[in-house]
Structure formats: C-alpha cells, structure tokens
Amino acid sequence: MAAEVLSSAKWLYCGEPDGSQRAVLVQFSNGKLRDPGNMRFTLYKNSDSTNPRKRTQRILAAETDRLCYVGNNFGTGALKCNSLCRHFVGILNKTTGQMEVYDAELFNMQPLFSDESVESELTLESEIKTFREKMDSCIEAFGTTKQKRALNSRRMNTVGSESLNRAVAKAAENIIDTKGVTALVNDAKRDDMQDDSLYLPPCHADAAKPEDVYKFEDLLSPAEYEALQSPSEAFRNVTSEEILTMIEENSHCSFVIEALKSLPSNEESRDRQARCIWFLDTLIKFRAQKVIKRKSALGPGIPHIISTKLLKHFTCLTYNNGSLRNLISDSMKAKITAYVIILALHINDFQIDLTTLQRDLKLSEKRMIEIAKAMRLKISKRRMSLTAGREEDHRLGTLCVPLPPAQTVDRQSKQRRLT
C-alpha cells in the first residue's frame, strides 16, 4: 500500500515558508558532518528593512560541541549560485502523496577558529587602534559600497606626497617618451569631444542645410510632437492682451514672449511654432528645479509621454532615505541647455540671441558661449536697442553650413596647458 502511495506525487509550490525568509540549505567547506543532529543553527538578518540592498542580507551561525561555523549571503564569501539559479526544498507527505516545494537559499559554512592566543591578540590590537581605525574596520565589515569606496579613496590619498610625485613624474616621462607631445594633445582633444557628446543632441556634421544638422525628429518623436497639440493651444491662440498680461505677471521668460509676438499667420506654421515654444518654455522651467520627487511636481497639463521623456532623458535616478527620486544634475542642466538652444534655432530660422537665452536660463555668459561653441554655432556680436534709448551688446549664435570646428573655452585652456 505504501509503495502505491509513493509511486507518484503532486507538485505544490508554496513560495517562502516564512513570508520574507527562504528555506536554508547549507554546505560545509571542510567536509561532511558526522552527527548532523548535534548542530545548533542561528539565523541573523539585517535590521535595515527599508534599504532594498540590505534587507535581504543574512548571516547563518552553526555551533557544535567542537567547532563553530559561519556563512552569509552577501559580500565576498557569498555563493554566486544564489544569484544565477534558484534552489528549492521539497517536503513529501507520504499520506497524501503531495510534494510541498519551498524557495531555498544556499549558505557556504566555514569554520570559525577562536582560541585564547587569537583572542588575546585581537584584544591587544583593539586597544592599540585609534577610533578612526576602529571605524574603518567596521566599514570594511558592514559598510555600504559607497562607504567602502570612500574608505579606499582616503587610504590611497594617504600615500606620501614625495613618493607620489616621483611616481607621477616618472610615469609622465614614460608616456611622453612613448607617445610624444603631439599625440597627447590629439588625445586630449578627442576626450573633450567625447565629454561634449554626453549632453549634446545628435549632430549631422555633413548636412547640406542648417535644419538637417540637428534634426527636429531627434528632439521630438512624432508621438511626442502630436501630444503637444493640446497643451500648446493657449500659445497658438494667444492675443496681444494676453501677451501684455504675461509680461506684467512675469509668467514666462523673455525669449518665449518675443517668440509669441512674432508667431506666423499661416495656420500650419503657427501650430508648429506654438508647439515648439511650449516645449521650450517647459524645458526652461524644468531646468530651474533641482529634485523631482514625483511626476505631479512637473506641473499640470503636461502630457504623460512628455513628462516621461523629461524624467528619462534629463534627470538622474538616485536613492535617498529609503526612496527613489529624480535629480537634475549639472550635466543634465547642460544637456537641457543644449536642447533649448536647438529648439530656439528651429523657432528663429537658425539665428538666436544667446544673451537673452542666457539670462532666461540664469547662466553665465562664459558657460553659454562654451556650450554654443561645442554645438558648432558661429558666434557674433550685435548692438541692441533697449528701452529709454539705451543700447547694449548681445551675443548672437548662428547655425550655418559648413560647420566651424567644435571648440570650447575649456578645451582651449587644456590645449595651452599641454603645450
């Protein structure tokens, strides 16, 4: 009868036996146990339940009459097979013929040796250590990846300045002898070009027309352009009275006001300009923020596809105090500035007032010119008339083909330092 019951079994997957803890499987690095029933196991878990990286960390301790063992599922001693495959434990009920299957985790148990000489040596060493050294030891054992990186950097920086200078000087001499000064200058130029390309939109340097250098399709996909129809309607139908109200309330930047004043009368061209102006205005307001905690912080009336684009392409995802948030870093601000310049070029027939945009973006003139030169714009100066008969010089940026060589202020100074 028993043989008939055990001839087949039904599979019943039960997940984790304890809700948040998988079943524990152990293997011993120094052989097999003679008396498994004499083992006493204790499982410890990380008390930080909010950090997604720490809340799954476990330490398993095993104790016999002769020896103690320790294993963990994190750090250098953890088994890689836990992340590459899944383990299961099956419990067969011989009466019902049902196999209950639970998720399991494998621990590699290593013997822990602690005799009197080792303990006394550790005690003496602990007494000699300073508070900083004890803190460093704690970071090595239990610190986060960021804390360990900072610790390694600090230790590397403690190398004697004299020996470091000798090593750097010798290495520099070897590199110069091997490659030569000209090759090093060219490498620096290529590195700077790569740095610029991190935040510049795709540039088609061989284009025959200015509108093909930075293509409009690279800024807005057809679906994103279509989504701008509804929010840009207010700009499309704006009146002179509404523009005066915008100026009085200072609700929009100077470039947007001037662009709305010169909207074309042709319905199709007016619609395209209104969409571009609305997206440019949104980018400028978005750039002024520092941290985006939720999508609603972008403001009302922004289509879902546009808010997703802003968060995906112009923010960095960071983890802080148990929550994820979107940070607008300095490099992302530079990227937004580049996209604003290109949109402005498409709006204003590929010649823009960089001084006006610089003030709207709250940038220094040096930084604005640097980004414009990296985008290979031709920079010129023009005397502009202001109210009350005053005049001032404004910087203009023009996109014309063939493109001038890309060059920034930083690159020029680096090249001078190398030569």
Side-chain angles (χ1 to χ4, degrees), residues 293-310:
K293 295 183 179 179
R294 55 188 183 276
K295 284 189 177 181
S296 58
L298 299 178
I302 295 184
H304 175 75
I305 189 173
I306 299 300
S307 61
T308 302
K309 178 185 181 72
L310 293 176

Side-chain angles (χ1 to χ4, degrees), residues 116 202 228 325 354 400:
E116 293 182 359
L228 296 178
R325 60 181 187 173
L354 292 174
C400 52

